[in-house]
Amino acid sequence: MPAPEPSRPPLDRGGLERWPGAGRWRVEVLEESRSTNAAASARARAGEPPGLVLVAEHQTAGRGRLGRAWVTPPRAALTFSLLVDPAQVPLARWPWLPLLIGLAVVDGVLDAAGVATSLKWPNDVLVGDAKLAGILVERVERPEGAVAVGGVGLNVSTTAEELPVPTATSLSLAGAGSLDRTALLMAVLDAFGRRYDAWRAAEGHGLRTPYLRASSTVGRRVRVQLPTGEELAGVAAGVDEDGRLQVDDGARVHVLGAGDVVHVRPGDG
């Protein structure tokens, strides 16, 4: 007998309107979007003020880091993008934004679904060694100054057969206590707002310690595939003040930004 179709109710628009966070976030639910990041970036270039959140019931051409595709069945995932303006934070510390969003996802998933997760540098949220969510942050230039769009794609009710790769997972497969995407969105945005406000007030500082606590990369042996095709092997020794990964290959410590790597994978041994 085939497995029953998972229950996938729509997002609760009325609940989002009544949510206290609606005073800070302007949440717009889209029935379908090719990419919420692309849509939010276009709105930003057109002058949209910070605080916009676009969430799609079905994202048909989502983009991950380095242009990788990310698509899920309708209502199976939580896919959204938010627009922020961290103008008082030095640009050198903007690479912390995907790590900050990752921390908010860790907080929100635990609060709303009861699932403990960890962070793989620079932009994945894991359950064990399986990928639950991906994060993409893009800087948008406009005449009045740059802003940032942060996107999250989180598998909620996705079945094993629907996952794009066998190394992925979903909240359903992880035994979540709740698969309520509306509650999950609220919890992640609430957590992001708290961490983002503290980070801005500290001018881009203050995330290193909580990130290291949540990291499943730091302290492990890793193999880093570089854009040149070369591979760097060593121990992920930490992250620096600008959110870059420090890899000790035994001869020296290499400092890598997200744009400097193609993949970071567990090393041998």
Side-chain angles (χ1 to χ4, degrees):
M1 177 181 294
E5 287 293 318
S7 174
R8 289 172 176 161
L11 289 158
D12 181 359
R13 299 178 189 231
L16 286 167
E17 291 173 0
R18 295 188 297 273
W19 167 51
R24 173 173 191 163
W25 303 108
R26 303 184 307 281
V27 180
E28 297 182 17
V29 179
L30 311 175
E31 283 302 316
E32 184 173 292
S33 173
R34 288 181 55 80
S35 163
T36 57
N37 254 39
S41 295
R43 295 273 292 270
R45 283 189 289 271
E48 183 79 31
L52 174 71
V53 178
L54 298 181
V55 53
E57 295 282 26
H58 186 205
Q59 184 166 256
T60 60
R63 293 175 294 124
R65 199 172 65 89
L66 302 179
R68 297 169 187 141
W70 192 85
V71 180
T72 63
R75 300 178 181 172
L78 180 62
T79 54
F80 69 95
S81 297
L82 54 89
L83 172 60
V84 294
D85 180 10
Q88 60 268 66
V89 176
L91 282 175
R93 296 211 166 84
W94 283 34
W96 274 108
L97 273 169
L99 283 62
L100 190 162
I101 295 174
L103 285 168
V105 173
V106 168
D107 294 343
V109 166
L110 185 61
D111 288 347
V115 174
T117 56
S118 64
L119 296 174
K120 176 188 170 188
W121 186 92
N123 65 335
D124 290 347
V125 182
L126 307 181
V127 176
D129 286 328
K131 180 174 176 177
L132 176 71
I135 296 160
L136 177 66
V137 174
E138 298 175 289
R139 197 167 99 194
V140 180
E141 301 291 346
R142 54 187 192 176
E144 60 270 39
V147 293
V149 170
V152 175
L154 193 160
N155 296 320
V156 178
S157 64
T158 324
T159 66
E161 293 75 22
E162 292 168 334
L163 291 170
V165 292
T167 53
T169 191
S170 68
L171 287 178
S172 177
L173 294 171
S178 170
L179 300 180
D180 185 336
R181 292 180 303 134
T182 306
L184 185 61
L185 176 63
M186 294 174 182
V188 172
L189 289 175
D190 282 340
F192 175 81
R194 291 190 297 270
R195 290 194 180 274
Y196 177 71
D197 289 346
W199 178 71
R200 284 207 314 171
E203 297 183 347
H205 294 282
L207 287 179
R208 189 167 178 269
T209 295
Y211 183 82
L212 290 175
R213 283 199 297 264
S215 174
S216 60
T217 301
V218 174
R220 298 179 69 171
R221 291 196 62 81
V222 294
R223 292 180 294 112
V224 183
Q225 183 183 344
L226 304 175
T228 60
E230 298 175 287
E231 188 172 272
L232 171 65
V235 174
V239 293
D240 72 2
E241 286 298 322
D242 295 329
R244 298 176 298 180
L245 185 67
Q246 299 165 315
V247 178
D248 186 347
D249 68 358
R252 70 184 184 94
V253 175
H254 302 259
V255 180
L256 304 168
D260 300 327
V261 306
V262 177
H263 290 292
V264 178
R265 294 191 169 102
D268 298 326

